[in-house]
Amino acid sequence: MKKLKPPNPKHLSEAKEANILLLRRSVTDVNGNIYICPRCGGELPLRADLVRAKLLRGDTEKWPCETCKWDEYKREAEEASLSILRKANNTHNLIYRFNECDHEQEISKQSVRDKEFKCNTCFEKKLEAEANKKNLTIVGKGSDKNFRLYKFLSC
């Protein structure tokens, strides 16, 4: 294995000024270094130009740390009575389980953050139960998400 050079003194100085600890150069990115995330203490691969740019903007409070990001997603899910199951194909969404009913659903991270979502399975069951009380059954979707097509059971 090739021995890495020590970190560049300029990068060390910029890291110190940005209040982030530079550990070593990156093995996989010639322009990258490994820093310590000031929030979680995990290793944080960053390019030196990103540290420099954040330093110039005075934006050194929050770093793009995957561990911190996932900790925040988990906290937001917990506050919304959800559990994260896995990533979704759409990068804006995750697959969650509703703690109350155990149903699974893909929901946008922003909707969870804003607590603007509902369990679609429970909602459909509620609509079907309400329809049955009126001697109806749902046969399809309506003209928009707030409407359904119904059929009388007694005709």
Side-chain angles (χ1 to χ4, degrees), residues 72-82 99 112-113 115 117:
E72 192 164 328
Y73 294 156
K74 288 175 190 169
R75 181 188 54 73
E76 290 167 350
E78 195 174 286
E79 288 175 1
S81 298
L82 300 169
N99 294 341
V112 171
R113 186 172 298 123
K115 295 182 182 70
F117 60 89

Side-chain angles (χ1 to χ4, degrees), residues 10 12 24 27 30 56 58 65 70 75 81 103:
K10 181 178 180 182
L12 282 166
R24 64 183 178 278
V27 175
V30 294
L56 288 171
C65 175
W70 278 93
R75 181 188 54 73
S81 298
H103 292 126

Side-chain angles (χ1 to χ4, degrees), residues 108-142:
S108 79
K109 295 174 223 171
Q110 187 64 49
S111 293
V112 171
R113 186 172 298 123
D114 296 340
K115 295 182 182 70
E116 293 179 354
F117 60 89
K118 66 179 175 273
C119 176
N120 291 336
T121 304
C122 288
F123 182 66
E124 290 298 325
K125 285 181 180 180
K126 177 182 172 243
L127 291 178
E128 190 63 51
E130 289 172 351
N132 286 339
K133 286 181 185 176
K134 302 288 185 185
N135 204 27
L136 299 166
T137 187
I138 297 174
V139 293
K141 298 198 180 282

Side-chain angles (χ1 to χ4, degrees), residues 3-16:
K3 187 171 168 47
L4 295 174
K5 293 181 190 176
N8 179 318
K10 181 178 180 182
H11 297 167
L12 282 166
S13 166
E14 290 169 342
K16 185 176 181 179

Side-chain angles (χ1 to χ4, degrees), residues 53-96:
K54 286 178 77 60
L55 188 58
L56 288 171
R57 287 193 311 265
D59 176 27
T60 59
E61 290 299 311
K62 202 168 184 185
W63 297 93
C65 175
E66 281 295 309
T67 303
C68 290
K69 182 170 66 173
W70 278 93
D71 286 347
E72 192 164 328
Y73 294 156
K74 288 175 190 169
R75 181 188 54 73
E76 290 167 350
E78 195 174 286
E79 288 175 1
S81 298
L82 300 169
S83 299
I84 297 173
L85 298 178
R86 62 189 172 277
K87 291 180 178 180
N89 289 335
N90 180 334
T91 58
H92 297 284
N93 301 345
L94 293 171
I95 309 297
Y96 295 89

